[in-house]
Amino acid sequence: MKKYFIFITIFILACGEQNLPQGSFGEQFDAALWKSTEAFESDKDNVSHRQKMLGDLVENHLLGKKREHIIAMLGEPSTKMDPDGNGPSLSYPTGYERGSYMGIDSEWLIIKFDSSGIADSYYIGTD
């Protein structure tokens, strides 16, 4: 029984970070850097600053915040994933898609809100 409990605990902890691609925990979130043009500069592995900040951003700065607070923190969202800008989510490009053979698509942070306008979930999408 003890081995089963340990296995389940490890599995749950491992799954917690699987929704973010590898390289998402390389830097602490920095709002000024996120909003700058340097945010899209990539390292030798083609991982941008925004992508490296994702882990800290979603774990410590995102969920539970009001829509207005997130826009102030991250800047104006893209309208590519939400053409009128008033949809139920906000989208921010983070860099080139990671983990893809070709890597020609873009990776996006999509933030979803509950009926009160509080960020309650996110996912990484591609276009």
Side-chain angles (χ1 to χ4, degrees):
M1 181 70 174
K2 185 177 179 181
K3 287 181 184 180
Y4 180 73
F5 177 75
I6 292 171
F7 173 77
I8 293 297
T9 302
I10 291 171
F11 179 77
I12 290 170
L13 291 174
C15 289
E17 292 183 6
Q18 286 185 341
N19 60 345
L20 292 177
Q22 186 173 359
S24 296
F25 292 86
E27 296 179 11
Q28 289 188 330
F29 174 70
D30 178 326
L33 178 57
W34 179 276
K35 295 177 192 176
S36 75
T37 56
E38 296 172 26
F40 295 102
E41 292 178 4
S42 298
D43 64 12
K44 64 179 176 47
D45 296 321
N46 210 26
V47 181
S48 74
H49 290 288
R50 278 190 175 188
Q51 290 170 321
K52 292 177 190 177
M53 289 189 275
L54 279 175
D56 185 47
L57 172 63
V58 301
E59 284 188 352
N60 300 311
H61 304 278
L62 191 67
L63 300 180
K65 303 290 192 289
K66 289 188 149 289
R67 183 183 188 96
E68 298 79 21
H69 176 84
I70 291 174
I71 292 173
M73 180 175 60
L74 301 181
E76 288 298 317
S78 173
T79 57
K80 181 173 182 173
M81 302 295 255
D82 178 18
D84 67 3
N86 293 316
S89 62
L90 298 177
S91 60
Y92 292 91
T94 61
Y96 290 113
E97 179 183 17
R98 295 176 274 176
S100 170
Y101 177 70
M102 296 292 282
I104 58 174
D105 291 328
S106 295
E107 186 178 281
W108 294 79
L109 170 62
I110 312 296
I111 306 163
K112 300 180 118 192
F113 296 86
D114 65 15
S115 60
S116 303
I118 304 293
D120 65 354
S121 65
Y122 67 88
Y123 66 94
I124 305 301
T126 57
D127 65 357

